[in-house]
Amino acid sequence: DAGITQSPRHKVTETGTPVTLRCHQTENHRYMYWYRQDPGHGLRLIHYSYGVKDTDKGEVSDGYSVSRSKTEDFLLTLESATSSQTSVYFCAISESGNEQFFGPGTRLTVL
Amino acid sequence: DQQVKQNSPSLSVQEGRISILNCDYTNSMFDYFLWYKKYPAEGPTFLISISSIKDKNEDGRFTVFLNKSAKHLSLHIVPSQPGDSAVYFCAASTAYSGAGSYQLTFGKGTKLSVIP
């Protein structure tokens, strides 16, 4: 299994609160991704990174920001959480940009 | 506009039989296709992939078939086992065409239940 961890694994927060999710890899892979999974929608890309300090938006980026200051860490921030951001968030890594390997997920509930 | 479609939300198969999961795509620029398996409360795991220069790729009990003219791919699992019960996601990218940025576009998934 690829060395990829996510923290926290579960979080409950209130509307309007800032939230940061962390993805950490030990594989030194170039590409890192944040997805959300919701019933009826499959996996949707939020943001991705193709190198340190190099990031770009995905399909559902509104309300989210990311940062990658080190190869191994990719942070996802919800500046002001809303109930529509209640979801399961997955981080993924890839060396080539093709096969992606996923972390265990973070279940976020926004009340 | 859904570019990758898995039209069957669920599928039930008897143990030992063949499971066939289908996926259709609309973007003719897609040139690399992947299948992922996901168990509840876990992240998706990569299963098998195929590039557009091939029409078949096999790995043990798993075979993926690609029909470019029909923009259709399928995953065959033979024989099916109870441990195969999971949600299967089809994904596509434009990696080789140079038009993409190494993003994957996922279908909504098909829940496979293998009945003992």
Side-chain angles (χ1 to χ4, degrees), chain A residues 35-78:
Chain A
Y35 291 88
R36 59 179 289 174
Q37 186 194 10
D38 305 289
H41 288 280
L43 288 153
R44 293 182 292 174
L45 181 65
I46 305 171
H47 281 279
Y48 68 100
S49 169
Y50 46 95
V52 174
K53 297 194 190 316
D54 291 323
T55 65
D56 205 349
K57 296 179 179 181
E59 177 188 358
V60 290
S61 60
D62 286 349
Y64 302 94
S65 62
V66 291
S67 65
R68 191 172 179 196
S69 58
K70 298 185 290 185
T71 299
E72 58 266 35
D73 289 324
F74 192 33
L75 304 180
L76 176 71
T77 298
L78 292 64

Side-chain angles (χ1 to χ4, degrees), chain A residues 87-99:
Chain A
S87 187
V88 180
Y89 292 85
F90 290 102
C91 176
I93 63 174
S94 177
E95 177 58 32
S96 65
N98 291 330
E99 289 87 6

Side-chain angles (χ1 to χ4, degrees), chain A residues 9 31 33 35 37 40-43 45 48 90 96-104, chain B residues 32 34 36 38 41-44 46 49 89 93 95-96 101-104 106-108:
Chain A
R9 294 293 313 279
Y31 299 93
Y33 306 81
Y35 291 88
Q37 186 194 10
H41 288 280
L43 288 153
L45 181 65
Y48 68 100
F90 290 102
S96 65
N98 291 330
E99 289 87 6
Q100 295 181 15
F101 300 96
F102 285 79
Chain B
Y32 196 76
L34 308 90
Y36 284 82
K38 185 183 181 303
E42 294 184 11
F46 170 71
S49 63
F89 290 99
S93 80
Y96 293 112
S101 52
Y102 305 103
Q103 298 181 46
L104 292 180
F106 284 84
K108 294 183 179 182

Side-chain angles (χ1 to χ4, degrees), chain B residues 12-102:
Chain B
S12 289
V13 173
Q14 287 290 129
E15 180 178 4
R17 298 289 189 110
I18 183 172
S19 295
I20 300 176
L21 296 101
N22 294 303
C23 178
D24 297 296
Y25 62 96
T26 57
N27 187 344
S28 58
M29 298 297 288
F30 286 145
D31 53 19
Y32 196 76
F33 304 89
L34 308 90
W35 285 94
Y36 284 82
K37 178 168 79 172
K38 185 183 181 303
Y39 293 119
E42 294 184 11
T45 55
F46 170 71
L47 200 54
I48 192 169
S49 63
I50 188 168
S51 69
S52 58
I53 61 173
K54 294 185 174 181
D55 54 20
K56 176 183 175 182
N57 189 26
E58 193 171 353
D59 184 0
R61 296 187 297 115
F62 302 91
T63 303
V64 56
F65 295 92
L66 175 62
N67 182 334
K68 290 186 291 293
S69 61
K71 294 191 179 67
H72 176 83
L73 66 154
S74 60
L75 175 68
H76 293 212
I77 306 173
V78 184
S80 300
Q81 300 173 353
D84 296 328
S85 296
V87 176
Y88 290 78
F89 290 99
C90 170
S93 80
T94 58
Y96 293 112
S97 69
S101 52
Y102 305 103

